[in-house]
PDB file of all heavy atoms in Angstrom:
ATOM      1  N   ALA A 184      92.046 124.416 117.748  1.00  0.00           N
ATOM      2  CA  ALA A 184      92.679 125.573 117.107  1.00  0.00           C
ATOM      3  C   ALA A 184      91.936 125.967 115.839  1.00  0.00           C
ATOM      4  O   ALA A 184      91.696 127.156 115.583  1.00  0.00           O
ATOM      5  CB  ALA A 184      94.143 125.253 116.789  1.00  0.00           C
ATOM      6  N   VAL A 185      91.560 124.976 115.024  1.00  0.00           N
ATOM      7  CA  VAL A 185      90.835 125.271 113.788  1.00  0.00           C
ATOM      8  C   VAL A 185      89.456 125.838 114.095  1.00  0.00           C
ATOM      9  O   VAL A 185      89.005 126.812 113.481  1.00  0.00           O
ATOM     10  CB  VAL A 185      90.726 124.001 112.913  1.00  0.00           C
ATOM     11  CG1 VAL A 185      89.821 124.241 111.711  1.00  0.00           C
ATOM     12  CG2 VAL A 185      92.108 123.558 112.446  1.00  0.00           C
ATOM     13  N   ALA A 186      88.765 125.251 115.068  1.00  0.00           N
ATOM     14  CA  ALA A 186      87.419 125.728 115.419  1.00  0.00           C
ATOM     15  C   ALA A 186      87.456 127.168 115.905  1.00  0.00           C
ATOM     16  O   ALA A 186      86.570 127.964 115.583  1.00  0.00           O
ATOM     17  CB  ALA A 186      86.814 124.825 116.486  1.00  0.00           C
ATOM     18  N   ARG A 187      88.470 127.528 116.665  1.00  0.00           N
ATOM     19  CA  ARG A 187      88.565 128.890 117.172  1.00  0.00           C
ATOM     20  C   ARG A 187      88.971 129.874 116.078  1.00  0.00           C
ATOM     21  O   ARG A 187      88.509 131.011 116.054  1.00  0.00           O
ATOM     22  CB  ARG A 187      89.560 128.936 118.325  1.00  0.00           C
ATOM     23  CG  ARG A 187      88.994 128.358 119.606  1.00  0.00           C
ATOM     24  CD  ARG A 187      90.033 128.248 120.687  1.00  0.00           C
ATOM     25  NE  ARG A 187      89.404 127.881 121.956  1.00  0.00           N
ATOM     26  CZ  ARG A 187      90.055 127.389 122.993  1.00  0.00           C
ATOM     27  NH1 ARG A 187      91.349 127.181 122.900  1.00  0.00           N
ATOM     28  NH2 ARG A 187      89.426 127.088 124.096  1.00  0.00           N
ATOM     29  N   ALA A 188      89.856 129.446 115.191  1.00  0.00           N
ATOM     30  CA  ALA A 188      90.273 130.344 114.118  1.00  0.00           C
ATOM     31  C   ALA A 188      89.131 130.638 113.158  1.00  0.00           C
ATOM     32  O   ALA A 188      89.026 131.742 112.627  1.00  0.00           O
ATOM     33  CB  ALA A 188      91.458 129.745 113.372  1.00  0.00           C
ATOM     34  N   TYR A 189      88.265 129.633 112.939  1.00  0.00           N
ATOM     35  CA  TYR A 189      87.158 129.781 111.997  1.00  0.00           C
ATOM     36  C   TYR A 189      85.825 129.735 112.743  1.00  0.00           C
ATOM     37  O   TYR A 189      84.922 129.001 112.374  1.00  0.00           O
ATOM     38  CB  TYR A 189      87.203 128.661 110.952  1.00  0.00           C
ATOM     39  CG  TYR A 189      88.361 128.762 109.995  1.00  0.00           C
ATOM     40  CD1 TYR A 189      89.573 128.169 110.297  1.00  0.00           C
ATOM     41  CD2 TYR A 189      88.235 129.453 108.798  1.00  0.00           C
ATOM     42  CE1 TYR A 189      90.644 128.251 109.424  1.00  0.00           C
ATOM     43  CE2 TYR A 189      89.293 129.542 107.915  1.00  0.00           C
ATOM     44  CZ  TYR A 189      90.494 128.941 108.233  1.00  0.00           C
ATOM     45  OH  TYR A 189      91.558 129.028 107.356  1.00  0.00           O
ATOM     46  N   GLN A 190      85.698 130.550 113.790  1.00  0.00           N
ATOM     47  CA  GLN A 190      84.501 130.445 114.618  1.00  0.00           C
ATOM     48  C   GLN A 190      83.228 130.791 113.852  1.00  0.00           C
ATOM     49  O   GLN A 190      82.145 130.334 114.220  1.00  0.00           O
ATOM     50  CB  GLN A 190      84.601 131.347 115.831  1.00  0.00           C
ATOM     51  CG  GLN A 190      84.526 132.837 115.523  1.00  0.00           C
ATOM     52  CD  GLN A 190      85.856 133.514 115.696  1.00  0.00           C
ATOM     53  OE1 GLN A 190      86.518 133.285 116.676  1.00  0.00           O
ATOM     54  NE2 GLN A 190      86.236 134.330 114.764  1.00  0.00           N
ATOM     55  N   ALA A 191      83.305 131.585 112.791  1.00  0.00           N
ATOM     56  CA  ALA A 191      82.094 131.927 112.034  1.00  0.00           C
ATOM     57  C   ALA A 191      81.583 130.750 111.221  1.00  0.00           C
ATOM     58  O   ALA A 191      80.393 130.675 110.911  1.00  0.00           O
ATOM     59  CB  ALA A 191      82.366 133.109 111.106  1.00  0.00           C
ATOM     60  N   ALA A 192      82.461 129.828 110.859  1.00  0.00           N
ATOM     61  CA  ALA A 192      82.064 128.684 110.036  1.00  0.00           C
ATOM     62  C   ALA A 192      82.982 127.510 110.332  1.00  0.00           C
ATOM     63  O   ALA A 192      83.763 127.097 109.485  1.00  0.00           O
ATOM     64  CB  ALA A 192      82.135 129.062 108.553  1.00  0.00           C
ATOM     65  N   PRO A 193      82.919 126.938 111.534  1.00  0.00           N
ATOM     66  CA  PRO A 193      83.880 125.892 111.903  1.00  0.00           C
ATOM     67  C   PRO A 193      83.700 124.586 111.155  1.00  0.00           C
ATOM     68  O   PRO A 193      84.675 123.862 110.945  1.00  0.00           O
ATOM     69  CB  PRO A 193      83.644 125.706 113.407  1.00  0.00           C
ATOM     70  CG  PRO A 193      82.242 126.159 113.629  1.00  0.00           C
ATOM     71  CD  PRO A 193      82.018 127.274 112.653  1.00  0.00           C
ATOM     72  N   ARG A 194      82.463 124.241 110.754  1.00  0.00           N
ATOM     73  CA  ARG A 194      82.265 122.936 110.133  1.00  0.00           C
ATOM     74  C   ARG A 194      83.025 122.826 108.815  1.00  0.00           C
ATOM     75  O   ARG A 194      83.605 121.789 108.505  1.00  0.00           O
ATOM     76  CB  ARG A 194      80.772 122.685 109.914  1.00  0.00           C
ATOM     77  CG  ARG A 194      79.982 122.500 111.198  1.00  0.00           C
ATOM     78  CD  ARG A 194      78.590 121.969 110.926  1.00  0.00           C
ATOM     79  NE  ARG A 194      77.819 121.911 112.159  1.00  0.00           N
ATOM     80  CZ  ARG A 194      76.847 122.753 112.481  1.00  0.00           C
ATOM     81  NH1 ARG A 194      76.514 123.719 111.646  1.00  0.00           N
ATOM     82  NH2 ARG A 194      76.210 122.632 113.614  1.00  0.00           N
ATOM     83  N   ALA A 195      82.992 123.875 108.002  1.00  0.00           N
ATOM     84  CA  ALA A 195      83.688 123.828 106.713  1.00  0.00           C
ATOM     85  C   ALA A 195      85.191 123.699 106.919  1.00  0.00           C
ATOM     86  O   ALA A 195      85.865 122.902 106.254  1.00  0.00           O
ATOM     87  CB  ALA A 195      83.361 125.077 105.892  1.00  0.00           C
ATOM     88  N   ALA A 196      85.744 124.481 107.846  1.00  0.00           N
ATOM     89  CA  ALA A 196      87.181 124.415 108.105  1.00  0.00           C
ATOM     90  C   ALA A 196      87.576 123.066 108.696  1.00  0.00           C
ATOM     91  O   ALA A 196      88.601 122.483 108.323  1.00  0.00           O
ATOM     92  CB  ALA A 196      87.591 125.546 109.044  1.00  0.00           C
ATOM     93  N   LEU A 197      86.770 122.549 109.618  1.00  0.00           N
ATOM     94  CA  LEU A 197      87.069 121.240 110.201  1.00  0.00           C
ATOM     95  C   LEU A 197      86.911 120.123 109.176  1.00  0.00           C
ATOM     96  O   LEU A 197      87.549 119.075 109.293  1.00  0.00           O
ATOM     97  CB  LEU A 197      86.175 120.984 111.411  1.00  0.00           C
ATOM     98  CG  LEU A 197      86.587 121.755 112.672  1.00  0.00           C
ATOM     99  CD1 LEU A 197      85.493 121.715 113.719  1.00  0.00           C
ATOM    100  CD2 LEU A 197      87.885 121.198 113.245  1.00  0.00           C
ATOM    101  N   GLY A 198      86.071 120.331 108.164  1.00  0.00           N
ATOM    102  CA  GLY A 198      85.992 119.360 107.074  1.00  0.00           C
ATOM    103  C   GLY A 198      87.310 119.251 106.337  1.00  0.00           C
ATOM    104  O   GLY A 198      87.774 118.158 105.993  1.00  0.00           O
ATOM    105  N   ILE A 199      87.951 120.409 106.078  1.00  0.00           N
ATOM    106  CA  ILE A 199      89.268 120.396 105.439  1.00  0.00           C
ATOM    107  C   ILE A 199      90.297 119.747 106.365  1.00  0.00           C
ATOM    108  O   ILE A 199      91.124 118.932 105.933  1.00  0.00           O
ATOM    109  CB  ILE A 199      89.691 121.820 105.062  1.00  0.00           C
ATOM    110  CG1 ILE A 199      88.778 122.369 103.967  1.00  0.00           C
ATOM    111  CG2 ILE A 199      91.143 121.856 104.596  1.00  0.00           C
ATOM    112  CD1 ILE A 199      89.084 123.791 103.564  1.00  0.00           C
ATOM    113  N   TYR A 200      90.247 120.116 107.642  1.00  0.00           N
ATOM    114  CA  TYR A 200      91.172 119.521 108.607  1.00  0.00           C
ATOM    115  C   TYR A 200      91.022 118.001 108.654  1.00  0.00           C
ATOM    116  O   TYR A 200      92.014 117.262 108.655  1.00  0.00           O
ATOM    117  CB  TYR A 200      90.914 120.142 109.980  1.00  0.00           C
ATOM    118  CG  TYR A 200      91.483 119.362 111.134  1.00  0.00           C
ATOM    119  CD1 TYR A 200      92.843 119.390 111.424  1.00  0.00           C
ATOM    120  CD2 TYR A 200      90.654 118.571 111.935  1.00  0.00           C
ATOM    121  CE1 TYR A 200      93.362 118.662 112.487  1.00  0.00           C
ATOM    122  CE2 TYR A 200      91.159 117.851 112.998  1.00  0.00           C
ATOM    123  CZ  TYR A 200      92.511 117.898 113.267  1.00  0.00           C
ATOM    124  OH  TYR A 200      93.027 117.168 114.308  1.00  0.00           O
ATOM    125  N   ASN A 201      89.791 117.505 108.686  1.00  0.00           N
ATOM    126  CA  ASN A 201      89.573 116.056 108.708  1.00  0.00           C
ATOM    127  C   ASN A 201      90.045 115.397 107.422  1.00  0.00           C
ATOM    128  O   ASN A 201      90.542 114.262 107.436  1.00  0.00           O
ATOM    129  CB  ASN A 201      88.089 115.761 108.942  1.00  0.00           C
ATOM    130  CG  ASN A 201      87.685 115.997 110.376  1.00  0.00           C
ATOM    131  OD1 ASN A 201      88.453 115.756 111.298  1.00  0.00           O
ATOM    132  ND2 ASN A 201      86.475 116.505 110.579  1.00  0.00           N
ATOM    133  N   PHE A 202      89.886 116.086 106.305  1.00  0.00           N
ATOM    134  CA  PHE A 202      90.361 115.556 105.030  1.00  0.00           C
ATOM    135  C   PHE A 202      91.871 115.346 105.061  1.00  0.00           C
ATOM    136  O   PHE A 202      92.386 114.363 104.515  1.00  0.00           O
ATOM    137  CB  PHE A 202      89.974 116.519 103.909  1.00  0.00           C
ATOM    138  CG  PHE A 202      90.572 116.192 102.571  1.00  0.00           C
ATOM    139  CD1 PHE A 202      90.087 115.149 101.810  1.00  0.00           C
ATOM    140  CD2 PHE A 202      91.636 116.932 102.081  1.00  0.00           C
ATOM    141  CE1 PHE A 202      90.646 114.848 100.575  1.00  0.00           C
ATOM    142  CE2 PHE A 202      92.202 116.641 100.862  1.00  0.00           C
ATOM    143  CZ  PHE A 202      91.703 115.595 100.097  1.00  0.00           C
ATOM    144  N   THR A 203      92.619 116.249 105.693  1.00  0.00           N
ATOM    145  CA  THR A 203      94.074 116.094 105.744  1.00  0.00           C
ATOM    146  C   THR A 203      94.471 114.825 106.489  1.00  0.00           C
ATOM    147  O   THR A 203      95.509 114.226 106.192  1.00  0.00           O
ATOM    148  CB  THR A 203      94.742 117.313 106.406  1.00  0.00           C
ATOM    149  OG1 THR A 203      94.281 117.437 107.769  1.00  0.00           O
ATOM    150  CG2 THR A 203      94.429 118.590 105.656  1.00  0.00           C
ATOM    151  N   GLY A 204      93.657 114.420 107.471  1.00  0.00           N
ATOM    152  CA  GLY A 204      93.957 113.166 108.157  1.00  0.00           C
ATOM    153  C   GLY A 204      93.901 111.985 107.219  1.00  0.00           C
ATOM    154  O   GLY A 204      94.752 111.083 107.288  1.00  0.00           O
ATOM    155  N   ASP A 205      92.922 111.967 106.312  1.00  0.00           N
ATOM    156  CA  ASP A 205      92.843 110.889 105.337  1.00  0.00           C
ATOM    157  C   ASP A 205      94.013 110.928 104.370  1.00  0.00           C
ATOM    158  O   ASP A 205      94.488 109.888 103.896  1.00  0.00           O
ATOM    159  CB  ASP A 205      91.526 110.977 104.569  1.00  0.00           C
ATOM    160  CG  ASP A 205      90.353 110.400 105.361  1.00  0.00           C
ATOM    161  OD1 ASP A 205      90.552 110.099 106.545  1.00  0.00           O
ATOM    162  OD2 ASP A 205      89.263 110.259 104.792  1.00  0.00           O
ATOM    163  N   VAL A 206      94.491 112.132 104.060  1.00  0.00           N
ATOM    164  CA  VAL A 206      95.694 112.245 103.228  1.00  0.00           C
ATOM    165  C   VAL A 206      96.875 111.567 103.925  1.00  0.00           C
ATOM    166  O   VAL A 206      97.646 110.818 103.311  1.00  0.00           O
ATOM    167  CB  VAL A 206      96.018 113.721 102.933  1.00  0.00           C
ATOM    168  CG1 VAL A 206      97.378 113.858 102.245  1.00  0.00           C
ATOM    169  CG2 VAL A 206      94.930 114.347 102.060  1.00  0.00           C
ATOM    170  N   GLY A 207      97.006 111.816 105.230  1.00  0.00           N
ATOM    171  CA  GLY A 207      98.095 111.188 105.977  1.00  0.00           C
ATOM    172  C   GLY A 207      97.969 109.680 106.042  1.00  0.00           C
ATOM    173  O   GLY A 207      98.967 108.953 105.927  1.00  0.00           O
ATOM    174  N   LYS A 208      96.726 109.190 106.208  1.00  0.00           N
ATOM    175  CA  LYS A 208      96.508 107.736 106.257  1.00  0.00           C
ATOM    176  C   LYS A 208      96.906 107.060 104.957  1.00  0.00           C
ATOM    177  O   LYS A 208      97.295 105.887 104.952  1.00  0.00           O
ATOM    178  CB  LYS A 208      95.043 107.450 106.559  1.00  0.00           C
ATOM    179  CG  LYS A 208      94.613 107.824 107.970  1.00  0.00           C
ATOM    180  CD  LYS A 208      93.120 107.611 108.171  1.00  0.00           C
ATOM    181  CE  LYS A 208      92.686 108.024 109.564  1.00  0.00           C
ATOM    182  NZ  LYS A 208      91.238 107.855 109.782  1.00  0.00           N
ATOM    183  N   ALA A 209      96.782 107.780 103.849  1.00  0.00           N
ATOM    184  CA  ALA A 209      97.159 107.211 102.555  1.00  0.00           C
ATOM    185  C   ALA A 209      98.645 107.429 102.255  1.00  0.00           C
ATOM    186  O   ALA A 209      99.341 106.510 101.822  1.00  0.00           O
ATOM    187  CB  ALA A 209      96.302 107.828 101.446  1.00  0.00           C
ATOM    188  N   ALA A 210      99.130 108.640 102.504  1.00  0.00           N
ATOM    189  CA  ALA A 210     100.470 109.013 102.049  1.00  0.00           C
ATOM    190  C   ALA A 210     101.581 108.413 102.905  1.00  0.00           C
ATOM    191  O   ALA A 210     102.574 107.888 102.372  1.00  0.00           O
ATOM    192  CB  ALA A 210     100.596 110.532 102.022  1.00  0.00           C
ATOM    193  N   VAL A 211     101.461 108.493 104.238  1.00  0.00           N
ATOM    194  CA  VAL A 211     102.569 108.042 105.090  1.00  0.00           C
ATOM    195  C   VAL A 211     102.766 106.525 105.015  1.00  0.00           C
ATOM    196  O   VAL A 211     103.904 106.057 104.843  1.00  0.00           O
ATOM    197  CB  VAL A 211     102.357 108.519 106.537  1.00  0.00           C
ATOM    198  CG1 VAL A 211     103.445 107.958 107.455  1.00  0.00           C
ATOM    199  CG2 VAL A 211     102.360 110.049 106.594  1.00  0.00           C
ATOM    200  N   PRO A 212     101.705 105.701 105.126  1.00  0.00           N
ATOM    201  CA  PRO A 212     101.939 104.259 104.934  1.00  0.00           C
ATOM    202  C   PRO A 212     102.465 103.913 103.546  1.00  0.00           C
ATOM    203  O   PRO A 212     103.311 103.015 103.415  1.00  0.00           O
ATOM    204  CB  PRO A 212     100.541 103.652 105.163  1.00  0.00           C
ATOM    205  CG  PRO A 212      99.843 104.636 106.036  1.00  0.00           C
ATOM    206  CD  PRO A 212     100.322 105.975 105.564  1.00  0.00           C
ATOM    207  N   ALA A 213     101.987 104.619 102.504  1.00  0.00           N
ATOM    208  CA  ALA A 213     102.481 104.347 101.154  1.00  0.00           C
ATOM    209  C   ALA A 213     103.959 104.688 101.044  1.00  0.00           C
ATOM    210  O   ALA A 213     104.753 103.921 100.465  1.00  0.00           O
ATOM    211  CB  ALA A 213     101.670 105.136 100.124  1.00  0.00           C
ATOM    212  N   ALA A 214     104.359 105.834 101.598  1.00  0.00           N
ATOM    213  CA  ALA A 214     105.770 106.215 101.570  1.00  0.00           C
ATOM    214  C   ALA A 214     106.614 105.238 102.393  1.00  0.00           C
ATOM    215  O   ALA A 214     107.745 104.901 102.023  1.00  0.00           O
ATOM    216  CB  ALA A 214     105.928 107.636 102.100  1.00  0.00           C
ATOM    217  N   THR A 215     106.047 104.771 103.508  1.00  0.00           N
ATOM    218  CA  THR A 215     106.755 103.790 104.334  1.00  0.00           C
ATOM    219  C   THR A 215     106.965 102.486 103.571  1.00  0.00           C
ATOM    220  O   THR A 215     108.065 101.901 103.593  1.00  0.00           O
ATOM    221  CB  THR A 215     105.963 103.521 105.618  1.00  0.00           C
ATOM    222  OG1 THR A 215     105.817 104.739 106.351  1.00  0.00           O
ATOM    223  CG2 THR A 215     106.668 102.488 106.497  1.00  0.00           C
ATOM    224  N   ALA A 216     105.928 102.015 102.899  1.00  0.00           N
ATOM    225  CA  ALA A 216     106.044 100.781 102.112  1.00  0.00           C
ATOM    226  C   ALA A 216     107.090 100.929 101.025  1.00  0.00           C
ATOM    227  O   ALA A 216     107.871  99.995 100.757  1.00  0.00           O
ATOM    228  CB  ALA A 216     104.684 100.431 101.501  1.00  0.00           C
ATOM    229  N   LEU A 217     107.148 102.097 100.395  1.00  0.00           N
ATOM    230  CA  LEU A 217     108.157 102.330  99.350  1.00  0.00           C
ATOM    231  C   LEU A 217     109.559 102.341  99.942  1.00  0.00           C
ATOM    232  O   LEU A 217     110.492 101.743  99.387  1.00  0.00           O
ATOM    233  CB  LEU A 217     107.857 103.661  98.651  1.00  0.00           C
ATOM    234  CG  LEU A 217     108.782 104.037  97.490  1.00  0.00           C
ATOM    235  CD1 LEU A 217     108.673 103.011  96.368  1.00  0.00           C
ATOM    236  CD2 LEU A 217     108.429 105.434  96.971  1.00  0.00           C
ATOM    237  N   ALA A 218     109.723 103.010 101.084  1.00  0.00           N
ATOM    238  CA  ALA A 218     111.037 103.062 101.719  1.00  0.00           C
ATOM    239  C   ALA A 218     111.512 101.687 102.159  1.00  0.00           C
ATOM    240  O   ALA A 218     112.713 101.390 102.138  1.00  0.00           O
ATOM    241  CB  ALA A 218     110.994 104.022 102.909  1.00  0.00           C
ATOM    242  N   LEU A 219     110.571 100.825 102.560  1.00  0.00           N
ATOM    243  CA  LEU A 219     110.941  99.480 103.020  1.00  0.00           C
ATOM    244  C   LEU A 219     111.478  98.600 101.910  1.00  0.00           C
ATOM    245  O   LEU A 219     112.065  97.545 102.183  1.00  0.00           O
ATOM    246  CB  LEU A 219     109.725  98.809 103.667  1.00  0.00           C
ATOM    247  CG  LEU A 219     109.315  99.348 105.037  1.00  0.00           C
ATOM    248  CD1 LEU A 219     107.971  98.795 105.462  1.00  0.00           C
ATOM    249  CD2 LEU A 219     110.379  99.029 106.092  1.00  0.00           C
ATOM    250  N   THR A 220     111.300  99.006 100.668  1.00  0.00           N
ATOM    251  CA  THR A 220     111.866  98.224  99.555  1.00  0.00           C
ATOM    252  C   THR A 220     113.368  98.425  99.427  1.00  0.00           C
ATOM    253  O   THR A 220     114.037  97.620  98.772  1.00  0.00           O
ATOM    254  CB  THR A 220     111.184  98.607  98.234  1.00  0.00           C
ATOM    255  OG1 THR A 220     111.432  99.984  97.945  1.00  0.00           O
ATOM    256  CG2 THR A 220     109.687  98.358  98.307  1.00  0.00           C
ATOM    257  N   VAL A 221     113.896  99.489 100.048  1.00  0.00           N
ATOM    258  CA  VAL A 221     115.330  99.772  99.916  1.00  0.00           C
ATOM    259  C   VAL A 221     116.047  99.877 101.257  1.00  0.00           C
ATOM    260  O   VAL A 221     117.278  99.882 101.297  1.00  0.00           O
ATOM    261  CB  VAL A 221     115.564 101.071  99.114  1.00  0.00           C
ATOM    262  CG1 VAL A 221     115.097 100.898  97.675  1.00  0.00           C
ATOM    263  CG2 VAL A 221     114.852 102.253  99.757  1.00  0.00           C
ATOM    264  N   LEU A 222     115.283  99.973 102.375  1.00  0.00           N
ATOM    265  CA  LEU A 222     115.896 100.133 103.683  1.00  0.00           C
ATOM    266  C   LEU A 222     115.301  99.147 104.680  1.00  0.00           C
ATOM    267  O   LEU A 222     114.128  98.778 104.556  1.00  0.00           O
ATOM    268  CB  LEU A 222     115.679 101.560 104.214  1.00  0.00           C
ATOM    269  CG  LEU A 222     116.384 102.703 103.485  1.00  0.00           C
ATOM    270  CD1 LEU A 222     115.881 104.052 104.033  1.00  0.00           C
ATOM    271  CD2 LEU A 222     117.893 102.602 103.633  1.00  0.00           C
ATOM    272  N   PRO A 223     116.068  98.738 105.706  1.00  0.00           N
ATOM    273  CA  PRO A 223     115.500  97.925 106.787  1.00  0.00           C
ATOM    274  C   PRO A 223     114.463  98.725 107.562  1.00  0.00           C
ATOM    275  O   PRO A 223     114.508  99.960 107.604  1.00  0.00           O
ATOM    276  CB  PRO A 223     116.717  97.596 107.668  1.00  0.00           C
ATOM    277  CG  PRO A 223     117.912  97.852 106.811  1.00  0.00           C
ATOM    278  CD  PRO A 223     117.515  98.935 105.870  1.00  0.00           C
ATOM    279  N   TRP A 224     113.538  98.027 108.237  1.00  0.00           N
ATOM    280  CA  TRP A 224     112.440  98.730 108.892  1.00  0.00           C
ATOM    281  C   TRP A 224     112.911  99.642 110.016  1.00  0.00           C
ATOM    282  O   TRP A 224     112.314 100.695 110.264  1.00  0.00           O
ATOM    283  CB  TRP A 224     111.392  97.741 109.401  1.00  0.00           C
ATOM    284  CG  TRP A 224     111.796  96.826 110.529  1.00  0.00           C
ATOM    285  CD1 TRP A 224     112.311  95.581 110.425  1.00  0.00           C
ATOM    286  CD2 TRP A 224     111.687  97.110 111.934  1.00  0.00           C
ATOM    287  NE1 TRP A 224     112.545  95.043 111.672  1.00  0.00           N
ATOM    288  CE2 TRP A 224     112.163  95.972 112.620  1.00  0.00           C
ATOM    289  CE3 TRP A 224     111.245  98.194 112.674  1.00  0.00           C
ATOM    290  CZ2 TRP A 224     112.211  95.896 114.000  1.00  0.00           C
ATOM    291  CZ3 TRP A 224     111.288  98.128 114.071  1.00  0.00           C
ATOM    292  CH2 TRP A 224     111.766  96.980 114.711  1.00  0.00           C
ATOM    293  N   ARG A 225     114.006  99.290 110.688  1.00  0.00           N
ATOM    294  CA  ARG A 225     114.496 100.147 111.767  1.00  0.00           C
ATOM    295  C   ARG A 225     114.986 101.494 111.229  1.00  0.00           C
ATOM    296  O   ARG A 225     114.709 102.546 111.806  1.00  0.00           O
ATOM    297  CB  ARG A 225     115.620  99.445 112.530  1.00  0.00           C
ATOM    298  CG  ARG A 225     115.127  98.331 113.448  1.00  0.00           C
ATOM    299  CD  ARG A 225     116.272  97.740 114.260  1.00  0.00           C
ATOM    300  NE  ARG A 225     115.781  96.821 115.291  1.00  0.00           N
ATOM    301  CZ  ARG A 225     115.472  95.567 115.094  1.00  0.00           C
ATOM    302  NH1 ARG A 225     115.582  95.046 113.863  1.00  0.00           N
ATOM    303  NH2 ARG A 225     115.030  94.811 116.084  1.00  0.00           N
ATOM    304  N   GLU A 226     115.690 101.462 110.114  1.00  0.00           N
ATOM    305  CA  GLU A 226     116.163 102.723 109.525  1.00  0.00           C
ATOM    306  C   GLU A 226     114.999 103.556 108.996  1.00  0.00           C
ATOM    307  O   GLU A 226     115.026 104.791 109.051  1.00  0.00           O
ATOM    308  CB  GLU A 226     117.174 102.432 108.418  1.00  0.00           C
ATOM    309  CG  GLU A 226     118.453 101.808 108.940  1.00  0.00           C
ATOM    310  CD  GLU A 226     119.464 101.568 107.832  1.00  0.00           C
ATOM    311  OE1 GLU A 226     119.272 102.103 106.717  1.00  0.00           O
ATOM    312  OE2 GLU A 226     120.439 100.842 108.076  1.00  0.00           O
ATOM    313  N   VAL A 227     113.972 102.894 108.499  1.00  0.00           N
ATOM    314  CA  VAL A 227     112.782 103.621 108.050  1.00  0.00           C
ATOM    315  C   VAL A 227     112.126 104.334 109.233  1.00  0.00           C
ATOM    316  O   VAL A 227     111.691 105.489 109.122  1.00  0.00           O
ATOM    317  CB  VAL A 227     111.792 102.656 107.363  1.00  0.00           C
ATOM    318  CG1 VAL A 227     110.466 103.363 107.080  1.00  0.00           C
ATOM    319  CG2 VAL A 227     112.388 102.124 106.067  1.00  0.00           C
TER     320      VAL A 227
END
């Protein structure tokens, strides 16, 4: 979807898209670890 939307310059747009994946790798596990301090893992 990103490559087609930015067909004139897909590498730059896909660079941003790939960067968001690293944001998720950092943010979601960190938020999960924080939630586990107050909730059981099943509720998390």
Side-chain angles (χ1 to χ4, degrees):
V185 173
R187 284 173 171 162
Y189 291 89
Q190 70 252 314
R194 292 192 185 106
L197 284 167
I199 293 178
Y200 163 76
N201 285 325
F202 172 75
T203 62
D205 280 9
V206 172
K208 291 176 182 179
V211 175
T215 300
L217 182 63
L219 288 170
T220 62
V221 294
L222 292 172
W224 67 267
R225 285 184 171 83
E226 294 182 13
V227 172

